[in-house]
Each structure stands twice: as structure tokens, then as C-alpha cells.
Amino acid sequence: AAAAADRSGTAQFKAIWRQGLPVLVVGLWPALRCDWAPAALLRICGPEAVTLSDCNANGELTEGLILAHFCQAYLSAEFAPICPRTGMPRLLKLKDWPCDAHFCAKLPAAYFHDLMQVIPPPLQPHLRADGAFNLAAHFPPHLVPPDLGPKLYVAMGYCAQTGRYAQTNLHCDVSDAFNLLVHCGDPAPSLAAEEAAEGLNGSVGAVWDVWLPKDAARISAFLKLRASELGLGAHTSDHPIHDQYFYLGERERKRLRDAYGIDAFRFVQRLGDMVVIPAGAPHQVRNVSPCVKVAMDFVSPYNVHRCLQLSDE
């Protein structure tokens, strides 16, 4: 009976996924077995030098910081290092870690197995590294396969001094991907007006806005228009989504919806929630609370054409 239910669930996911729709899976936290807290990662990895981006300085890369500095700032914003150029506390984000090694070369194999086993059975044929419908699992053995992860994405949340969030601007991934929130830090005592008006609270880790892949060209046209209005034309290319220069606030999302008929899926990601994003789907992420997320790419048969197009772009 369980096998039949899994097959039925896989068919249901396949039907949704063929349409280029994103998926939110909730409530996976109880199934996680490893300690994904920054302190645990620090004990494993030691005082490793890391490259961090400062969201209070438009993503400026920092130098001279180690993982311990970041963990202190993650646990309490009062320990955030000060940017010597602006005099403001840094709002730090660690992405694509480890960037120079395979996941299992930095963390015990138990962490990789934890991620694989927490994937719901109906989604495993597509999402698992060895999934039957994950084309990356069938890469020719004589070729060097691409590094599809997993990777860690760790970020602080809201900075009251600047009114900014640790966020990832609008962009597209070249392949399909899933992103699981495995740890949530203490939220800021107050949030910016937009998030407060939406009733977001301390149980929220991150907020995702995801658009359909078929709308990417029209969103690009909107971004070019917006760049021109703001006098930012020199900062954009023929593919402004790939520039990752914009985060669309409520007014811009409403304008995109009203003028272009393009609306986004808004996902509120809490601890143990997994967001599954098809290749080519424009999306942006705002961390309401300090978050540890683990993400992994996969290649489904239905999105290979988008992977090739995005690679060319």
C-alpha cells in the first residue's frame, strides 16, 4: 500500500512539475537527524576562512573573516562586525558553501544521507542524487560531472539599523533545485513595514517570490524598463535577470501584475519546509530570520531544454 501511494504521489508531482510550477513541501523538520545549527557546523569545520557578502553594502564581498565570526553574528546581531567603509554593522550571507570542494569533503557523510532521506518518497525519483528521473545520476562515467551540490546557504535576517534584510536578488537557476530550511535563528524584535503588514513573525525563516519560467522574457523586459527609469541602464545586460541586480518590492510586484498580467507564487518558508524550483523560474528570497538552508540541483527530463538555453545565456 505504501509503495502504491508513493507511485501515485510521484505521478502527481510529475504532472505538476511538467507545467513548470514550483512546489512547497512543509513539515519535514521531524525527519531530520543531524544537527544543522551553525555551532555544530563550526565544531566540524573549525576556523575556516570564508567569503561572505554584506547585504548592508549591496552584496559587497568581505575579507579577513572566518566561519567563527559569521556564526557569532548569526547567533546575535550585536556581534556583527562593523564595515569600516560605512560604519554600519555587516549583514552577512554565506552562499554556495563549500565553494571549492564537494559537500562530503567538508561535512561527515551523515549530513548528505540526512538530506537524501528527508526527501519525501514521492519526490525521491526526481530529487535524490541517485534518482531514476534525475538525469544527473546517469551522467557518463568517463566524463567529469558538474557539481550539483549540496551547498549550504547561511544568512543573517533583518538589520533594524538599516532596515535591510539578508536577501538573494531576482535570478534564475540553470538547473532544477530544491532548498530545505534546516535551522532558524532568533528573529529580529521588529520587522520592516511590508513584512509586518503581512503578519510574518518569528516562526518564519524566509519569504520566496517565484515566477513561472514562461514569464522570464517579459520580466526581463520589465527590468530593462525599470533600469532605464532609475538611470541604471549601464548596470544591466541583455539578460537582466542573470545580472541579479534587482529585488522586486511590493510596488514593483504589483506593477508587474497589473501592467503585464504576471503574478508570482509567494512561499513562506518555515523550519523544515522545502521549496522546489524548476530551471528557468525567476525567483528571489528574503530572510526574515537568520537561516541555514541546504540546497541541491537536479536535472529532470522535462526541463533539459531550459537548462541548455540558460547555459547558453
Side-chain angles (χ1 to χ4, degrees):
D6 290 348
R7 288 195 297 270
S8 175
T10 299
Q12 184 180 13
F13 173 75
K14 186 185 298 185
I16 294 171
W17 199 244
R18 282 179 178 272
Q19 301 176 59
L21 298 173
V23 174
L24 175 66
V25 183
V26 302
L28 300 179
W29 167 249
L32 286 169
R33 300 167 182 169
C34 292
D35 185 356
W36 293 88
L41 301 177
L42 180 60
R43 287 194 298 270
I44 296 169
C45 300
E48 178 173 331
V50 290
T51 300
L52 304 166
S53 58
D54 183 0
C55 295
N56 271 341
N58 298 319
E60 176 181 279
L61 298 180
T62 65
E63 296 180 356
L65 295 180
I66 62 174
L67 197 57
H69 293 140
F70 178 60
C71 289
Q72 288 178 327
Y74 178 97
L75 294 172
S76 179
E78 65 179 304
F79 294 115
I82 301 299
C83 175
R85 183 174 58 81
T86 65
M88 300 301 296
R90 292 194 182 276
L91 187 59
L92 297 173
K93 181 175 68 173
L94 173 67
K95 60 176 293 187
D96 288 323
W97 187 89
C99 60
D100 58 352
H102 191 272
F103 187 82
C104 291
K106 292 286 187 179
L107 295 174
Y111 280 84
F112 177 79
H113 295 312
D114 195 25
L115 180 62
M116 292 297 98
Q117 65 84 27
V118 82
I119 299 171
L123 276 62
Q124 288 185 3
H126 290 83
L127 273 60
R128 277 185 60 101
D130 57 358
F133 297 126
N134 182 1
L135 297 187
H138 309 288
F139 208 76
H142 63 282
L143 298 177
V144 179
D147 183 7
L148 299 179
K151 300 289 185 181
L152 284 178
Y153 295 78
V154 192
M156 300 170 65
Y158 177 64
C159 179
Q161 291 94 320
T162 61
R164 292 191 176 190
Y165 291 87
Q167 65 188 32
T168 300
N169 287 348
L170 186 68
H171 68 288
C172 290
D173 291 331
V174 175
S175 59
D176 306 308
F178 67 88
N179 182 294
L180 177 66
L181 180 56
V182 293
H183 185 270
C184 226
D186 293 332
S190 62
L191 299 176
E194 180 180 334
E195 281 67 28
E198 294 178 6
L200 302 182
N201 54 42
S203 68
V204 174
V207 178
W208 294 64
D209 296 302
V210 187
W211 288 264
L212 297 178
K214 69 181 182 65
D215 293 326
R218 289 194 294 163
I219 293 173
S220 291
F222 171 74
L223 295 180
K224 290 179 181 179
L225 173 62
R226 190 74 184 115
S228 177
E229 293 171 346
L230 296 172
L232 301 173
H235 296 280
T236 59
S237 67
D238 290 337
H239 302 288
I241 294 177
H242 302 327
D243 295 336
Q244 298 190 35
Y245 198 78
F246 291 93
Y247 183 95
L248 301 184
E250 192 277 332
R251 289 184 180 179
E252 291 164 315
R253 295 196 304 272
K254 184 178 185 300
R255 182 178 172 188
L256 189 60
R257 180 170 60 248
D258 294 344
Y260 292 77
I262 300 174
D263 206 355
F265 292 87
R266 171 152 278 210
F267 293 151
V268 176
Q269 187 183 31
R270 293 178 169 84
L271 184 62
D273 290 353
M274 176 188 288
V275 180
V276 192
I277 306 291
H283 59 283
Q284 58 187 20
V285 187
R286 174 165 282 177
N287 295 293
V288 179
S289 300
C291 292
V292 178
K293 308 188 196 83
V294 59
M296 187 166 183
D297 297 342
F298 63 100
V299 182
S300 60
Y302 331 110
N303 291 330
V304 170
H305 63 292
R306 291 199 193 102
C307 295
L308 296 174
Q309 176 187 339
L310 289 162
S311 296
D312 289 341
E313 291 178 2

